[in-house]
């Protein structure tokens, strides 16, 4: 791997990460598969739905942190399942209490159960409250460049526009808007939601996104551990392609070999 790539970390809230793949922990068949898939992904940031996953709230149930150790991974509590700013803020405060003052969180406030599309009004409200309360907020949002800039200016440490609907596997449906968001951004732009397979992840990275967060694409694969490995390679290849700079697109053919000095 090139020296340039090795010295190209993802920096979030002042901390550098070598992996640009962020993964979730839901939908696996058991905790063992969860741990194996996350290890195969090479991810360093692992997001956890506080409302749906035991990270110490229930001492009588298996604890996710037994297989996803906070000593090895940066645990990113998220507010999945929250439909109001109030619920999201409460969930983040619970996570901070459970994780001994941990302040890096992933904020998502959903609009409805059918689309799981973000409710931007509630998202903005929750982000403002959390930032004032000392949280470092990575925020899930739609692909609106104006909203993305507002969230950055409020103080969010990363903005995470959807590629397509959560769990849909449709890939990046509006690359133009993602590019517009990146053009104006001074914080990492991480595609969150919609990735279905390795090529989707590579596309996001080739566009210049800082990273990709995914869960269903790995957990719902026929072989999650193998898919996790594929995603790791796709993220690395896409980033290297972005750094290398692709050739220009042309309307007509261009010979690979020089035409000068052709024999006979």
């Amino acid at each position: 791997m090139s020296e340039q790539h090795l010295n190209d970390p993802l920096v979030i809230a002042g901390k550098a990460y070598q992996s640009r793949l962020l993964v979730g922990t839901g939908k696996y068949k058991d905790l063992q598969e969860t741990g194996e898939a996350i290890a195969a992904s090479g991810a360093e940031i692992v997001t956890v739905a506080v409302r749906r996953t035991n990270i110490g709230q229930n001492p009588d149930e298996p604890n996710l942190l037994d297989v996803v150790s906070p000593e090895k991974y940066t645990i990113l509590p998220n507010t999945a399942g929250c439909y109001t700013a109030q619920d999201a803020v409460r969930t983040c405060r619970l996570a901070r209490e459970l994780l001994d003052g941990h302040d890096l969180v992933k904020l998502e406030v959903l609009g409805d159960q059918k689309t799981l599309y973000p409710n931007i009004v509630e998202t903005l409200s929750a982000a403002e409250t959390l930032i004032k309360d000392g949280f470092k907020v990575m925020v899930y949002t739609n692909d609106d460049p104006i909203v993305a800039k507002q969230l950055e200016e409020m103080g969010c440490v990363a903005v995470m526009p959807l590629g397509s609907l959560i769990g849909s596997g449709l890939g990046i449906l509006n690359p133009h808007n993602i590019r517009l968001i990146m053009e104006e951004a001074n914080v990492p732009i991480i595609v969150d939601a919609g990735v279905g397979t390795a090529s989707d992840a590579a596309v996001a990275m080739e566009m210049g996104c800082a990273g990709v967060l995914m869960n269903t694409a790995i957990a719902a694969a026929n072989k999650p551990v193998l898919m996790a490995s594929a995603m790791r390679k796709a993220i690395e290849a896409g980033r290297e392609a972005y750094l290398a700079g692709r050739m220009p697109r042309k309307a007509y053919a261009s010979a690979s070999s020089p035409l000068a000095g052709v024999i006979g």
Side-chain angles (χ1 to χ4, degrees):
M1 191 174 293
S2 70
E3 182 177 349
Q4 184 182 24
H5 181 73
L6 290 172
N7 294 325
D8 179 47
L10 168 63
V11 179
I12 296 176
K15 183 174 180 179
Y17 300 91
Q18 290 305 313
S19 174
R20 292 175 176 271
L21 174 58
L22 295 73
V23 296
T25 57
K27 302 184 179 180
Y28 290 97
K29 68 179 182 181
D30 54 35
L31 287 183
Q32 180 179 345
E33 185 179 73
T34 304
E36 290 175 357
I38 290 171
S41 76
E44 296 169 84
I45 300 176
V46 179
T47 188
V48 177
V50 178
R51 291 166 64 99
R52 299 171 178 166
T53 308
N54 182 34
I55 57 172
Q57 310 97 305
N58 193 336
D60 298 324
E61 295 182 2
N63 190 330
L64 177 70
L65 301 184
D66 291 338
V67 295
V68 184
S69 170
E71 295 179 4
K72 182 177 181 180
Y73 301 100
T74 293
I75 304 300
L76 181 64
N78 70 58
T79 60
C82 292
Y83 291 84
T84 67
Q86 184 178 19
D87 282 349
V89 169
R90 185 185 303 115
T91 299
C92 288
R93 288 172 176 164
L94 171 61
R96 182 165 61 183
E97 190 174 316
L98 290 169
L99 296 172
D100 299 322
H102 183 86
D103 58 6
L104 183 67
V105 295
K106 179 197 167 190
L107 171 65
E108 55 182 88
V109 187
L110 306 177
D112 64 71
Q113 293 185 3
K114 181 178 180 180
T115 67
L116 301 182
Y117 207 73
N119 181 324
I120 296 305
V121 173
E122 294 292 303
T123 297
L124 289 165
S125 174
E128 182 178 23
T129 300
L130 290 169
I131 291 165
K132 288 180 180 178
D133 199 16
F135 284 94
K136 298 170 184 174
V137 178
M138 300 173 65
V139 59
Y140 167 67
T141 183
N142 61 15
D143 56 11
D144 183 332
I146 305 303
V147 170
K149 194 62 181 177
Q150 286 179 319
L151 288 164
E152 177 190 327
E153 290 174 345
M154 289 173 65
C156 293
V157 299
V159 176
M160 309 174 75
L162 53 81
S164 51
L165 297 182
I166 291 174
S168 69
L170 292 173
I172 298 177
L173 297 184
N174 197 344
H176 180 66
N177 272 29
I178 301 291
R179 289 191 179 95
L180 289 176
I181 290 170
M182 288 190 293
E183 282 180 9
E184 300 299 322
N186 296 303
V187 297
I189 302 302
I190 298 171
V191 166
D192 179 9
V195 167
T197 190
S199 57
D200 297 331
V203 165
M205 299 309 297
E206 288 171 5
M207 288 170 55
C209 294
V212 178
L213 190 151
M214 65 181 74
N215 183 184
T216 308
I218 296 176
N222 290 333
K223 297 180 179 180
V225 177
L226 187 58
M227 182 60 83
S229 175
M231 291 298 188
R232 176 180 190 167
K233 294 165 188 169
I235 293 289
E236 292 174 354
R239 183 63 180 178
E240 287 189 346
Y242 170 73
L243 293 175
R246 65 157 291 142
M247 63 168 285
R249 289 180 170 88
K250 300 177 182 179
Y252 299 99
S254 177
S256 299
S257 302
L259 295 178
V262 174
I263 299 173

